[in-house]
Amino acid sequence: MTKIALLTSGGDAPGMNAAIRAIVHSCQHHQYECIGFFHGYNGLLNDEWQALTHADVGNILQFGGTILKSARCPAMCDPKGPKQAANTLRKHQIDALIVIGGDGSFRGLEALKAHWEGQVIGLPGTIDNDLAGSDNTIGFATAVTTATHAIDKIRDTANAFERVFIVEVMGRHSGHIAFNVGLATGAEAILSFENCDPADTAPQLARLISQIQVQQQHNHDSFVIVLAENLWPGGPQALKAQLAEQAGIDSAVCVLGHIQRGGSPAPEDRLLATELGLEAVNAVSRNQDRIMIGKQGSTLQAVPLNGAINDAKPVNGRWVAAHEDVLTEYLIKHSE
Ligand code: F6P
């Protein structure tokens, strides 16, 4: 009987449970055995696992987090780690390993392939949406929704106090969350890797100061800056200090942080996770290997794992341009 192992790895993402559920149901449909390893790749290194059946995945798809737990596993970057992981998979006579995670987790799969003959399949699970080969990753829609609702609330108090707010959003090194959330909330400024060079922030700072000043002269509403994490040297507190020092602009800082990773998955994530999970098991039955299952447009597709990791997935250029155009128009209108 074909035996599939599965694990969740790296930063958890809302919808991982829905993917686990779909994989387990599909395994039962195909009459495959399914076992889950806990705590990401650590479960393979420590042989920490559980058999998974329908009964184990009932009533989980509406919850964030992951019933298999997650972790980062630096040991997979050392040749000993993948070797040990391969031994565990052999011991359990696993035919295929499905990993739900981000680029680091997929690198773990690539490393494993050097020592293991079984099939490896990745499912894109990260709030960052930074994997090529799938329009969206599992968890991204929920993170954008959560951050959007949070900034709507910030907007209320910012308006009441006529304040400048710097709101930091997650994304590691990509601006998908920043641009989606910035546009969805009508942020006056979006600072992200796509439109700001972290090695030379002076032009952006000057522009930002002039935008805030123009806005403050012409109305007394709030000014929300959505800032991508890891972009501004010194982080949002440094930006706050620079605004104060260089232009006497007072601002408040809010780091949204890990709330973006939690919460009940949005329907889009539940559906995406379900489709990708079912397709991952179909891919095992087709003997596919070293692939990630993604969805582009309405088409499910298998893409090479190394392409998913290494190919660029830029933020929608129209959105970056739209933000710039809107800002430019806004500035012209207010300086007339
Ligand atoms: O990759 C998901 C993510 O939430 C990133 O957006 C963020 O940079 C990182 O993980 C935070 O990781 P940790 O929870 O380990 O601090």
Side-chain angles (χ1 to χ4, degrees):
M1 189 193 233
T2 300
K3 194 167 177 186
I4 294 184
L6 107 104
L7 58 86
T8 48
S9 162
D12 53 292
M16 281 182 162
N17 280 329
I20 295 169
R21 171 179 174 270
I23 291 166
V24 171
H25 282 301
S26 185
C27 281
Q28 300 229 314
H29 171 77
H30 282 86
Q31 299 189 322
Y32 293 165
E33 220 178 306
C34 183
I35 71 172
F37 283 91
F38 289 98
H39 303 112
Y41 286 99
N42 296 302
L44 286 177
L45 303 184
N46 304 327
D47 202 10
E48 198 192 345
W49 61 279
Q50 179 196 315
L52 293 171
T53 66
H54 284 313
D56 302 299
V57 296
N59 208 25
I60 65 166
L61 103 157
Q62 70 271 39
F63 296 115
T66 155
I67 59 162
L68 291 177
K69 311 293 180 189
S70 194
R72 306 194 193 277
C73 182
M76 285 301 283
C77 301
D78 178 301
K80 276 196 225 145
K83 242 188 218 168
Q84 199 179 324
N87 287 340
T88 306
L89 291 165
R90 257 183 233 116
K91 175 180 146 189
H92 290 280
Q93 299 182 309
I94 301 297
D95 298 290
L97 172 65
I98 301 175
V99 169
I100 312 166
D103 58 345
S105 309
F106 293 174
R107 283 198 182 88
L109 276 182
E110 285 286 349
L112 182 64
K113 266 316 275 187
H115 305 278
W116 188 54
E117 49 295 336
Q119 295 162 256
V120 299
I121 294 182
L123 285 195
T126 165
I127 64 166
D128 301 339
N129 201 27
D130 57 350
L131 292 167
S134 192
D135 293 342
N136 289 329
T137 53
I138 297 165
F140 175 62
T142 307
V144 168
T145 304
T146 301
T148 298
H149 290 160
I151 294 178
D152 287 348
K153 293 186 172 84
I154 288 169
R155 182 68 84 175
D156 291 345
T157 175
N159 277 340
F161 269 68
E162 295 171 347
R163 256 186 178 150
V164 175
F165 253 90
I166 304 167
V167 185
E168 185 189 271
V169 295
M170 276 187 168
R172 194 177 288 275
H173 298 295
S174 89
H176 289 279
I177 295 180
F179 267 96
N180 279 264
V181 170
L183 288 176
T185 55
E188 280 71 19
I190 302 172
L191 297 180
S192 183
F193 302 91
E194 295 71 16
N195 64 355
C196 177
D197 178 2
D200 181 19
T201 52
Q204 275 293 352
L205 183 63
R207 186 167 182 231
L208 189 59
I209 287 171
S210 100
Q211 287 166 351
I212 295 171
Q213 286 170 340
V214 167
Q215 195 258 16
Q216 286 184 338
Q217 279 158 22
H218 291 86
N219 71 46
H220 292 283
D221 271 342
S222 52
F223 192 103
V224 170
I225 304 161
V226 169
L227 174 68
E229 70 168 343
N230 298 319
L231 175 81
W232 203 267
Q237 292 295 347
L239 176 57
K240 174 185 163 72
Q242 287 158 5
L243 289 174
E245 279 156 22
Q246 296 194 23
I249 294 169
D250 184 36
S251 61
V253 168
C254 181
V255 176
L256 294 186
H258 288 79
I259 64 159
Q260 293 160 99
R261 287 230 305 250
S264 178
E268 298 96 302
D269 281 326
R270 300 182 194 193
L271 294 170
L272 180 66
T274 301
E275 278 193 297
L276 297 184
L278 296 177
E279 188 59 13
V281 180
N282 291 337
V284 173
S285 73
R286 290 192 297 260
N287 282 318
Q288 288 178 282
D289 188 19
R290 282 180 87 170
I291 52 156
M292 181 195 85
I293 305 292
K295 185 175 181 185
Q296 279 191 327
S298 56
T299 309
L300 295 178
Q301 59 174 14
V303 295
L305 208 48
N306 58 7
I309 304 167
N310 297 321
D311 292 352
K313 179 173 172 195
V315 172
N316 185 338
R318 273 184 293 128
W319 290 18
V320 178
H323 175 65
E324 291 301 313
D325 293 347
V326 170
L327 274 182
T328 311
E329 193 188 303
Y330 173 90
L331 269 180
I332 291 167
K333 210 161 66 196
H334 285 79
S335 54
E336 274 163 0

